[in-house]
Amino acid sequence: MAESNPQECGNVAWAFATLRRRDRPLFDAIAAPALSKMAQFSPQNLANTAWAWAALCFDHAPLRAALSSAAMQRLELFGTHELASTAWSFATVADADAPLLHCIATEALVKICQFAPQAIGNIFWSFSTLSYYHEPLLDGIVYAARARTHLFKSQELANTVWSLAVFRVQDYPLLEAIAVAAICSIRRFRQQELANTAWAFAKLLFPHLPLLDAIAAAAAPSILDWGPQELANTAWAFARLRALDAPLLQAIPSAFLARLAERQPGSSRVLPRHVEMVTWALSRQSDLAPAWTFLDGLEGAGWRVGSQAVAGLLGECERRGLPQRQRQLLHLLARSAALAAPARAGAVALPRPPAGCLGPGGAPGSPFGVLRGACLGGPLGPLPPSVARGLLAQPPGTGREHEKEARLLAFVLSTAPPGRPEAICEAIEPSGTATCPARTGARAAGPPPRASG
């Protein structure tokens, strides 16, 4: 490769990347002459070389730096395809090269009306992936996309609306145009494109019911083959947009548990945030039975259920007046903590209690007893000092949001010795009469968990 000219270097790299042939020794051999002849590279050679390394996920920092420097010197010669391709290449390897991105944005804005649909989707996706906000370019992309949405393919539609959601741009004419175009081509959407589109419309709080119906119909035949992230994003999106009676939302928990049971090399990894999103979505339904079935399935698969996963469900139980279900959730948290905690001498595992089991304050069957078991069975980090000081410095006032919770935390922080988790439980029990007057109509806990992008 030492005698190859720039076009030959770029063409060989492009061909291997197009065929998805990962040959690292060959690409290292291409990099050496490419670095020495970078000044001779044309815009197409530069864009093709950057794209080939990114498409095969090969990292070569010196080559990438040289490509960036060479590209910035001749960006005015780049066509719209080369501009979008170069931005995509740097975004794919997560290189937020600010000087290069600024130059690309400036040049792209001049040529924005010449961008093809694929180039619009790619450059928008690249800037949103790198979280590089360039308002003039963003306005130009929105303007150009409005007139050409009917020409967008499924990936371009999904990338564009996903990028709008990342930058929180609620351009209703463009969103409506994307929804209409997506419905017309919904059968050509892949799993990730369906999930990302649903997530984006939910993130922007744009409830386009015909689009949701189309997504549900397109997803149903293959839902058992979806990965955990796509399942979680879709469940969260439908629940956030209050499409709670969709058959798709009913099918997602079973598909998710099937993915969890696989645990095979190469299968998509299930993350705690995926579980949190599905559980939160199920907690929004009028019938909570699917939520309990889902939690039983998680525990049966050996999954450690964390407090964030059941926070929304606990809030719903309080709002609906379901104390027995609240106690069951506390027992589930205690058992999950015991799974992750190291064995201690004399430690006794908490048994699964019968439904509605009650005991004296602090007894193993009572809510506070369950909470004590969770504290002793798993690590509980202290609240940040700034949070503690804020709670203690601002006494709760009548009618303040989450007044009961604030009073409870303030009391415990002021009375429980630091460094002793069991002291927190001991302080909670008398706090009920000391600081927390009875109040009904408590609100559901917190906002929904954040989705993936």
Side-chain angles (χ1 to χ4, degrees), residues 164-185:
L164 288 172
V166 170
F167 285 134
R168 293 179 169 80
V169 178
Q170 291 180 310
D171 189 275
Y172 296 120
L174 180 54
L175 288 171
E176 179 66 29
I178 290 174
V180 172
I183 292 172
C184 295
S185 59

Side-chain angles (χ1 to χ4, degrees), residues 289 292 314 317 322-330:
W292 309 124
L314 274 170
C317 289
L322 302 173
Q324 294 182 0
R325 288 299 192 182
Q326 287 181 291
R327 287 190 288 273
Q328 290 178 3
L329 289 172
L330 288 174

Side-chain angles (χ1 to χ4, degrees), residues 10-261:
N11 286 350
V12 171
W14 178 87
F16 271 71
T18 301
L19 295 172
R20 297 294 187 267
R21 294 290 300 274
R22 293 176 55 85
D23 190 327
R24 188 58 193 249
L26 173 64
F27 272 68
D28 287 339
I30 294 174
L35 284 168
S36 64
K37 301 174 182 178
M38 190 65 64
Q40 305 172 30
F41 273 49
S42 69
Q44 184 178 9
N45 298 150
L46 292 169
N48 283 355
T49 303
W51 177 86
W53 256 263
L56 294 179
C57 299
F58 284 153
D59 187 28
H60 196 294
L63 178 62
R64 198 166 62 249
L67 288 168
S68 173
S69 177
M72 283 191 287
Q73 295 174 22
R74 61 197 83 164
L75 273 180
E76 70 278 0
L77 302 176
F78 275 51
T80 57
H81 176 77
E82 285 81 21
L83 289 169
S85 179
T86 303
W88 180 93
S89 301
F90 277 74
T92 299
V93 296
D95 185 354
D97 187 328
L100 175 63
L101 292 174
H102 178 77
C103 291
I104 289 176
T106 302
E107 189 64 30
L109 186 59
V110 175
K111 303 172 180 176
I112 195 65
C113 291
Q114 304 170 28
F115 271 65
Q118 183 180 15
I120 291 175
N122 283 347
I123 199 168
F124 202 6
W125 176 88
S126 303
F127 276 72
S128 58
T129 296
L130 294 173
S131 299
Y132 189 88
Y133 185 78
H134 190 282
E135 187 173 3
L137 177 62
L138 180 59
D139 292 342
I141 289 174
V142 170
Y143 172 80
R146 284 181 193 160
R148 275 168 252 183
T149 309
H150 63 286
L151 301 174
F152 281 25
K153 297 179 181 178
S154 59
Q155 184 176 12
E156 294 141 16
L157 290 168
N159 283 353
T160 300
V161 73
W162 181 85
S163 300
L164 288 172
V166 170
F167 285 134
R168 293 179 169 80
V169 178
Q170 291 180 310
D171 189 275
Y172 296 120
L174 180 54
L175 288 171
E176 179 66 29
I178 290 174
V180 172
I183 292 172
C184 295
S185 59
I186 199 70
R187 294 188 180 279
R188 292 189 286 273
F189 274 60
R190 295 175 296 175
Q191 297 171 5
Q192 185 178 10
E193 293 162 359
L194 290 170
N196 284 357
T197 301
W199 176 86
F201 274 84
K203 187 74 173 178
L204 295 172
L205 289 176
F206 192 85
H208 196 286
L209 297 183
L211 175 62
L212 293 178
D213 290 341
I215 291 174
S222 62
I223 194 67
L224 292 177
D225 299 325
W226 283 34
Q229 179 169 336
E230 288 76 25
L231 292 168
N233 281 352
T234 305
W236 179 86
F238 273 68
R240 182 173 172 83
L241 293 176
R242 300 189 181 279
L244 300 175
D245 297 326
L248 179 64
L249 193 56
Q250 306 297 327
I252 285 176
S254 298
F256 192 93
L257 292 174
R259 296 282 77 76
L260 185 62

